[in-house]
Amino acid sequence: MSHHLSGPDLRSPGDDARLDLTDVFAFTAPSGDRTVLIMNVNPFAPTRGEHFHPDAVYRINVDTDGDSQADVAFSFVFSPPVDGGQTVSVHRSLGRRAQSHEPGVERLVADAPVSFGSDPAIVTAGGLTFSAGIRSDPFFADLDGIVHDFQWTGRDSMADQNVFGIVLEMPNAELGSNPLIGVWARVSLRRDGQLVSMDRGAHPSLTAYFNSEDAKDTYNAREPADDWENYRDAWTAVLQHTGGYGVEDAHRVLRQVLPDILRYDRSRPVAYPNGRKLTDDVTSARLNMVSGGRITTDHIGPHHDLLDRFPYLGNPHPVGAAAMSG
């Protein structure tokens, strides 16, 4: 299910939903001269996690020169919750420092409020616009149909569910003059003074289809620059089994998702896998890929509660409704 429940046995990494990355998006804002980056975490929020983890570093990485290494990184660090509230600081790292999982020394936003109600808390700092808090989950899929041998139910499993969204919008120039960027997200947890990577990814529904249960934790801890070497052979075998691919065709298809970095050429229209809009049908794209073209859609369309303005993610659903169906 996209990147929801990306730990072993359909559980959250570390059995903690606050550390569970669900989706990554990259698209151009309606103005045309600003880039939007979104990472969502905490599936079925707030039923499995009521706040962001205060000992975690949430991070969006951006590769600006095509070497599959971060050149710009935005890190988000949250305070311990107090009386149901929480604040967040936004840090930026550049160059080689962006390859460290630690927050950058440059703090762009300090102690901004996190929104746990219907209205988003929006902060501007220089050219940056930022928001973090509970929002409607934009992912759409017939998960029951997928699990039950593609017998479609017509039900969107995420239609009334929420996530915690982290949304950044900035001038295109903030990410360099090259219109082609690569984007991925990571959630790390501080243990005994060290940051441990709990989850990472960019492309939807990779670990669910391609990684065995005992491989998921290792995948979440690794760097995308090593993905082709680490996963080419094992994932080729999966495509041979599920889609009848030959080796060369499997390699060609896997080049679209390995390394697990979402490439976005901002000089071209956004449509997955060139970036990802909130309305892109990534479930059908992945079904088509793994089945070798035999299954082309799950017949579920995008959500209608998306906003045409920042923070773009829809207002959260009532918690009672999400809890009953989650």
Side-chain angles (χ1 to χ4, degrees), residues 9 19 21 26 42 57 93 107-108 119 132 141 163 178 197-198 218 233-234 240 246 256 272 290 298-299 317:
D9 303 314
L19 309 175
L21 172 69
N42 195 15
V57 176
S93 301
R107 190 159 64 170
L108 303 178
D119 296 329
V163 290
N178 185 350
S197 177
M198 303 299 295
T218 299
D233 294 341
Q240 289 176 308
Q256 298 178 9
Y272 182 80
V290 299
D298 67 342
H299 308 285
H317 300 283

Side-chain angles (χ1 to χ4, degrees), residues 234-277:
W235 290 19
T236 293
V238 171
L239 287 180
Q240 289 176 308
H241 175 72
T242 62
Y245 285 84
V247 172
E248 289 187 7
D249 284 340
H251 287 181
R252 174 182 52 80
V253 169
L254 289 175
R255 283 290 188 189
Q256 298 178 9
V257 296
L258 289 177
D260 189 359
I261 295 174
L262 182 64
R263 300 292 179 186
Y264 179 30
D265 184 344
R266 294 173 291 169
S267 68
R268 297 171 46 220
V270 56
Y272 182 80
N274 182 50
R276 181 182 173 191
K277 304 188 302 293

Side-chain angles (χ1 to χ4, degrees), residues 91-93 97 103-107:
H91 301 254
R92 179 171 60 185
S93 301
R97 290 183 177 179
V105 294
E106 181 185 11
R107 190 159 64 170

Side-chain angles (χ1 to χ4, degrees), residues 163-225:
V163 290
F164 284 177
I166 298 174
V167 187
L168 279 174
E169 182 178 308
M170 68 205 74
N172 292 340
E174 288 291 322
L175 299 176
S177 59
N178 185 350
L180 179 60
I181 60 174
V183 180
W184 70 101
R186 186 181 298 275
V187 183
S188 301
L189 181 65
R190 199 171 299 281
R191 290 177 173 168
D192 300 323
Q194 300 293 322
L195 277 180
V196 178
S197 177
M198 303 299 295
D199 205 357
R200 61 99 175 183
H203 288 278
S205 306
L206 291 187
T207 197
Y209 283 110
F210 287 102
N211 284 328
S212 61
E213 299 305 324
D214 60 0
K216 290 182 178 179
D217 283 341
T218 299
Y219 183 85
N220 289 335
R222 283 176 161 170
E223 298 294 335

Side-chain angles (χ1 to χ4, degrees), residues 1-17 20-21 43-44 48 139 143-144 146-148 158 199 205-217 220 326:
M1 52 160 66
S2 194
H3 205 73
H4 301 57
L5 306 179
S6 47
D9 303 314
L10 286 179
R11 304 180 72 87
S12 293
D15 245 357
D16 192 329
D20 195 334
L21 172 69
F44 313 109
R48 303 185 184 192
F139 180 61
L143 298 181
D144 289 336
I146 292 172
V147 170
H148 295 98
M158 297 297 169
D199 205 357
S205 306
L206 291 187
T207 197
Y209 283 110
F210 287 102
N211 284 328
S212 61
E213 299 305 324
D214 60 0
K216 290 182 178 179
D217 283 341
N220 289 335

Side-chain angles (χ1 to χ4, degrees), residues 61-136:
N61 301 281
V62 183
D63 171 22
T64 63
D65 60 11
D67 66 354
S68 301
Q69 302 278 357
D71 299 294
V72 184
F74 299 94
S75 296
F76 314 95
V77 180
F78 294 83
S79 70
V82 176
D83 296 329
Q86 198 169 27
T87 62
V88 55
S89 295
V90 181
H91 301 254
R92 179 171 60 185
S93 301
L94 301 173
R96 292 184 62 85
R97 290 183 177 179
Q99 296 172 26
S100 167
H101 295 177
E102 292 285 347
V105 294
E106 181 185 11
R107 190 159 64 170
L108 303 178
V109 175
D111 302 323
V114 176
S115 57
F116 293 110
S118 296
D119 296 329
I122 299 174
V123 175
T124 58
L128 184 76
T129 306
F130 168 73
S131 184
I134 190 168
R135 306 302 294 165
S136 171

